[in-house]
């Protein structure tokens, strides 16, 4: 990779666009490689004093206006360009693109609207437990350049890939997993089709001898240039997580995620017993149907990661004693018809609608009520998580479960879904004292 970078940036004017964790990682790598004409940094927010002392910085609302002053722009995933990449004179790339170009045959790339973090972390855990030399990086919070110095001749690299990391990708990994594509990130992509285009870059540039694992609903026959394995739950060596003592994963959606991992692991020679043993010791990531505890006879679950209709439906289906659902958050004009239709006839006792998108969902239920269609569940509108948990404490059914699974983004109310989930857990603990 170093020799590739040396040739790529030699005598070039380089802009690092976005100076968060990945931007800093890119700067560290490029300064080690050297040979460029200049490196400068552009970010909407102020850049820390150490970087600004050593490199020219462009900050503020006009930070996107300077791209064509450079030969190469290393864009961080969180930055949204003002126009299509092809409309710029500069070459727009990112560290993930360079990394996959360099290690394509050893990369297993995983993406999907939902389940990519669970699937990629489970795959890493399974391979690591089997004694395989494996690294984990990407959208999980570890820039790929940060693991470069740990790569040996036989190392496999599991990379979780977001839509933003794939949006302008021109290289696909040898082994790719595309779990699903649901409606999401429409505030950026505007249409589901544009969002799907970004996701599909994980396989569109594969060779005929490469492998794609996906579902028949996600990629149709003949759409991928590579060898395609269509995954379903029946491929897994177990029918239920209850068959393996101590397993923390829940739900049919995670059975499917595990089936993806299982089939990839077979390619690396793992036996069924090895797979099940590692499954026992795997601990799911926080905020993904995470049990908060039982307080006053009510189970509480944090599924703050949920930003789509399907993930919320999966959450309700996964918890046998689901009784109260907390939904709503940032308004991004998601189509909620399928969710409302499901909730009209669900096993839930109560659906609590919160925040801006929750208000829209509540109004959808009200419109159906005027048409004479009555929900089996009680539908109520409350202000926020705090008010909702207080309601559950006073009115929730003992023996039931309260699930925060918002089907909406957290922005505008919380910094991210992690902060939202942590706040939910704190409010639950505070109200039950």
């Amino acid at each position: 990779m170093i020799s590739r970078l040396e040739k790529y940036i030699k005598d070039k004017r380089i802009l690092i666009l976005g100076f968060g964790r990945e931007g800093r990682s890119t700067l560290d790598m490029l300064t080690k490689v050297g040979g460029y004409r200049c490196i400068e940094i552009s970010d909407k927010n102020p850049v820390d004093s150490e970087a600004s002392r050593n490199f020219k910085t462009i900050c503020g609302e006009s930070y996107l206006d300077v791209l064509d002053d450079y030969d190469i722009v290393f864009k961080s995933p969180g930055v949204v360009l003002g126009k299509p990449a092809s409309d710029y004179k500069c070459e727009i790339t990112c560290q993930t693109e360079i990394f996959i170009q360099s290690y394509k045959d050893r990369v297993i790339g995983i993406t999907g609207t939902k389940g990519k973090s669970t699937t990629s972390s489970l795959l890493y855990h399974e391979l690591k437990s089997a004694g395989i030399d494996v690294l984990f990086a990407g959208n999980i919070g570890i820039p790929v350049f940060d693991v470069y110095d740990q790569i040996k001749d036989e190392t496999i690299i599991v990379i979780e890939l977001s839509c933003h990391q794939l949006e302008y990708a021109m290289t696909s990994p040898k082994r790719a997993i595309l779990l699903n594509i649901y409606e999401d990130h429409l505030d950026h992509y505007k249409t589901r089709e544009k969002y799907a285009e970004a996701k599909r870059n994980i396989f569109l540039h594969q060779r005929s001898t490469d492998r794609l694992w996906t579902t028949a609903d996600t990629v149709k026959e003949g759409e991928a240039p590579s060898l395609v394995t269509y995954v379903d739950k029946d491929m897994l060596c177990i029918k239920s997580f209850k068959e393996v003592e101590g397993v923390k994963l829940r739900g049919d959606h995670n059975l499917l995620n595990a089936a993806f991992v299982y089939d990839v692991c077979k390619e690396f020679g793992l036996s069924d017993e090895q797979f099940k043993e590692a499954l026992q010791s795997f601990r799911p990531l926080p905020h993904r149907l995470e049990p908060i505890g039982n307080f006053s006879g009510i189970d509480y679950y944090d599924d703050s990661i949920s930003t789509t209709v399907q993930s919320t439906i999966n959450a309700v289906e996964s918890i046998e004693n689901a009784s109260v659902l907390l939904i709503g958050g940032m308004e991004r004009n998601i189509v909620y018809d399928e969710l409302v239709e499901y909730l009209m006839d669900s096993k839930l006792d109560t659906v609590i609608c919160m925040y801006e998108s929750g208000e829209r969902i509540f109004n959808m239920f009200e419109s159906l009520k005027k048409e004479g269609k009555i929900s089996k569940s009680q539908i109520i509108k409350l202000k926020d998580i705090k008010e909702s948990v207080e309601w559950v404490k006073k009115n929730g059914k003992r023996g039931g479960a309260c699930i925060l699974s918002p089907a909406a983004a957290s922005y505008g109310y919380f910094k991210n879904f992690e902060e939202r989930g942590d706040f939910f857990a704190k409010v639950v603990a505070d109200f039950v004292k």
Side-chain angles (χ1 to χ4, degrees):
M1 187 182 75
I2 296 298
S3 60
R4 183 185 295 273
L5 271 173
E6 285 175 343
K7 293 176 185 176
Y8 185 55
I9 68 175
K10 183 176 172 56
D11 297 326
K12 295 294 195 299
R13 296 167 298 170
I14 310 293
L15 179 69
I16 294 177
L17 182 60
F19 203 59
R21 185 167 185 175
E22 182 163 316
R24 295 170 191 275
S25 170
T26 300
L27 178 63
D28 288 345
M29 178 60 77
L30 297 186
T31 52
K32 287 176 185 175
V33 172
Y36 47 81
R37 185 184 303 180
C38 72
I39 288 184
E40 296 176 358
I41 302 166
S42 183
D43 195 297
K44 186 174 182 179
N45 300 311
V47 173
D48 63 69
S49 57
E50 182 179 352
S52 60
R53 277 197 303 269
N54 297 309
F55 301 93
K56 179 183 176 181
T57 60
I58 303 97
C59 301
E61 295 298 326
S62 61
Y63 80 110
L64 291 173
D65 297 342
V66 299
L67 274 62
D68 282 334
D69 295 339
Y70 302 88
D71 300 307
I72 301 171
V73 173
F74 280 83
K75 188 185 83 67
S76 295
V79 176
V80 179
L81 298 178
K83 55 186 178 180
S86 57
D87 290 353
Y88 292 95
K89 297 176 184 177
C90 60
E91 183 172 350
I92 295 173
T93 189
C94 64
Q95 63 167 260
T96 304
E97 176 75 8
I98 302 298
F99 190 91
I100 294 178
Q101 286 176 2
S102 304
Y103 300 107
K104 175 184 176 79
D105 288 349
R106 292 197 267 163
V107 168
I108 307 172
I110 299 106
T111 197
T113 306
K114 289 300 166 188
K116 59 184 177 293
S117 294
T118 296
T119 304
S120 55
S121 56
L122 176 58
L123 177 58
Y124 169 74
H125 178 76
E126 288 280 353
L127 296 178
K128 189 77 172 176
S129 298
I132 293 169
D133 182 8
V134 60
L135 297 172
F136 190 17
N139 191 59
I140 197 70
I142 305 170
V144 291
F145 277 177
D146 286 5
V147 303
Y148 159 75
D149 58 359
Q150 302 173 53
I151 298 175
K152 305 180 184 70
D153 289 343
E154 302 301 321
T155 304
I156 297 296
I157 309 106
V158 173
I159 303 180
E160 180 190 329
L161 294 164
S162 70
C163 55
H164 301 311
Q165 288 170 311
L166 290 165
E167 186 172 7
Y168 305 113
M170 298 301 293
T171 309
S172 301
K174 178 179 180 178
R175 298 179 180 91
I177 296 174
L178 176 55
L179 298 166
N180 47 57
I181 300 176
Y182 302 127
E183 188 179 79
D184 203 5
H185 295 290
L186 297 191
D187 50 326
H188 170 49
Y189 292 98
K190 308 306 179 188
T191 68
R192 187 185 188 280
E193 290 70 28
K194 289 287 186 185
Y195 170 66
E197 284 177 17
K199 287 290 191 187
R200 288 161 60 85
N201 276 329
I202 197 169
F203 70 82
L204 286 178
H205 309 289
Q206 285 187 309
R207 302 162 297 200
S208 60
T209 53
D210 294 341
R211 289 283 303 277
L212 169 67
W213 285 266
T214 188
T215 69
D217 292 335
T218 307
V219 179
K220 303 304 180 187
E221 187 174 351
E223 289 185 328
S226 49
L227 302 169
V228 179
T229 297
Y230 290 114
V231 178
D232 60 57
K233 290 178 293 184
D234 292 338
M235 296 168 62
L236 195 55
C237 59
I238 57 174
K239 299 299 181 186
S240 167
F241 290 129
K242 293 178 181 179
E243 293 178 26
V244 185
E245 185 178 353
V247 172
K248 300 296 183 184
L249 285 172
R250 293 171 175 267
D252 282 354
H253 62 296
N254 276 325
L255 273 176
L256 181 58
N257 293 336
F260 275 95
V261 173
Y262 174 71
D263 204 68
V264 176
C265 285
K266 287 200 300 185
E267 188 170 298
F268 287 89
L270 272 70
S271 68
D272 287 1
E273 287 308 309
Q274 283 177 301
F275 180 84
K276 287 187 279 190
E277 185 177 344
L279 195 60
Q280 286 179 304
S281 58
F282 176 69
R283 294 296 175 263
L285 298 166
H287 312 298
R288 292 152 174 87
L289 270 185
E290 179 184 8
I292 299 300
N294 182 289
F295 302 95
S296 302
I298 301 173
D299 295 324
Y300 289 85
Y301 290 89
D302 168 14
D303 194 42
S304 181
I305 185 69
S306 166
T307 58
T308 68
V309 165
Q310 191 59 51
S311 59
T312 296
I313 293 173
N314 288 341
V316 176
E317 289 292 307
S318 299
I319 304 302
E320 293 180 5
N321 62 334
S323 175
V324 181
L325 174 68
L326 277 54
I327 55 173
M330 176 188 179
E331 177 61 274
R332 294 188 300 169
N333 298 315
I334 288 176
V335 177
Y336 283 121
D337 298 69
E338 181 185 358
L339 179 60
V340 170
E341 182 180 347
Y342 169 80
L343 294 175
M344 287 285 290
D345 196 38
S346 77
K347 62 187 177 184
L348 294 165
D349 296 308
T350 306
V351 176
I352 299 178
C353 304
M354 316 173 294
Y355 303 109
E356 190 176 7
S357 67
E359 183 171 0
R360 177 159 66 90
I361 294 170
F362 178 81
N363 291 335
M364 291 173 70
F365 280 111
E366 290 293 291
S367 296
L368 290 171
K369 187 188 295 185
K370 291 177 182 176
E371 296 173 10
K373 300 175 183 178
I374 305 300
S375 169
K376 287 184 178 180
S377 307
Q378 174 184 205
I379 312 296
I380 62 176
K381 180 173 68 173
L382 295 174
K383 179 183 176 184
D384 53 23
I385 286 174
K386 186 175 181 179
E387 194 171 288
S388 299
V389 172
E390 186 172 24
W391 185 95
V392 175
K393 178 193 173 185
K394 295 177 180 177
N395 304 286
K397 182 177 74 176
R398 273 48 186 171
C402 169
I403 308 169
L404 170 69
S405 188
S410 57
Y411 306 119
Y413 306 101
F414 301 95
K415 183 172 64 175
N416 48 41
F417 74 85
E418 292 96 339
E419 184 179 79
R420 175 170 63 185
D422 290 341
F423 180 75
F424 172 67
K426 182 180 184 302
V427 169
V428 168
D430 285 347
F431 271 126
V432 298
K433 287 178 181 177

